[in-house]
Amino acid sequence: PPFYYGDYDAWCYVLVDHDAPNVTKEYGEPNVYMDLGGGEMGHAITSHTVIYINATDLPDEANASGIDKIYWSFDGLTWYNTTSFNGAYTASYSFTPADLGLTEGFYQIFIEASDRLGHVSDQLKQKFVIDDTAPESVANASCQGKTIIVTAGASDNFVGVESVELFGRYSEDGMNWTLWMSYGYGTY
């Protein structure tokens, strides 16, 4: 066709992004990586431990359309999502279980991310447990002449007990006491 306003050149950059984003998850402190039962590994955290959800669009920064949103669920049915990251190559969102009203117990987190072209990441899922209660400890003592026999133990509803240490002190008159001393340490 004729060009009525002179000759000109034009070029256009076409982005070819066939790859979905990649998602990862990290926990702040405190957290313990452990067997949650049946050989399934996961983390034990408190309701105030920060959970970080990260997304990176693929294949690389120069050839990615960028992250749109990050999605997460605790039952695979009810999903939460961020606002759009407007095509950022990497994106991160953080929250605590308390922010979402989660209480002590066992959970599973499901995580996905989408890019601006609608590609959705593979779903990342992992079980975790929220434990806000300290272990309960029990100690019993009995006297046999000048010998004192002490037994001690501890229990925890979710995470378990790593160790028990028994401390004691002595007084002949009930007013003047020795310093506290460790008399035993046991691991579970």
Side-chain angles (χ1 to χ4, degrees):
F3 297 101
Y4 300 107
Y5 300 104
D7 294 337
Y8 62 91
D9 289 330
W11 65 273
C12 178
Y13 176 74
V14 177
L15 177 68
V16 179
D17 178 356
H18 297 288
D19 298 314
N22 184 49
V23 292
T24 62
K25 171 200 46 58
E26 301 171 60
Y27 292 104
E29 295 296 331
N31 83 74
V32 176
Y33 189 66
M34 60 181 287
D35 186 336
L36 297 177
E40 187 160 3
M41 302 302 288
H43 285 85
I45 63 174
T46 71
S47 60
H48 299 288
T49 300
V50 178
I51 299 173
Y52 300 92
I53 301 172
N54 310 302
T56 303
D57 202 10
L58 299 175
D60 55 51
E61 192 165 3
N63 296 301
S65 64
I67 300 296
D68 183 29
K69 294 181 181 178
I70 297 175
Y71 307 86
W72 67 97
S73 173
F74 298 103
D75 60 9
L77 301 172
T78 303
W79 287 85
Y80 303 90
N81 63 271
T82 63
T83 58
S84 178
F85 287 98
N86 296 316
Y89 175 61
T90 61
S92 184
Y93 185 77
S94 62
F95 58 89
T96 68
D99 294 339
L100 301 174
L102 299 181
T103 59
E104 286 190 316
F106 288 89
Y107 294 91
Q108 187 164 8
I109 189 168
F110 302 83
I111 303 166
E112 296 178 351
S114 62
D115 68 15
R116 293 192 309 169
L117 292 178
H119 301 118
V120 178
S121 68
D122 289 339
Q123 189 176 86
L124 172 68
K125 62 182 178 179
Q126 185 186 46
K127 290 185 178 178
F128 68 98
V129 61
I130 299 172
D131 185 356
D132 287 327
T133 305
E136 293 183 16
S137 59
V138 176
N140 296 304
S142 62
C143 295
Q144 295 177 357
K146 290 187 175 190
T147 303
I148 301 173
I149 299 173
V150 179
T151 57
S155 63
D156 187 87
N157 288 337
F158 294 107
V159 177
V161 176
E162 183 177 329
S163 63
V164 175
E165 188 167 3
L166 178 63
F167 287 87
R169 62 184 184 161
Y170 173 74
S171 172
E172 290 185 18
D173 59 11
M175 296 183 63
N176 299 303
W177 293 87
T178 62
L179 295 175
W180 287 100
M181 295 177 44
S182 176
Y183 283 97
Y185 182 85
T187 58
Y188 291 82

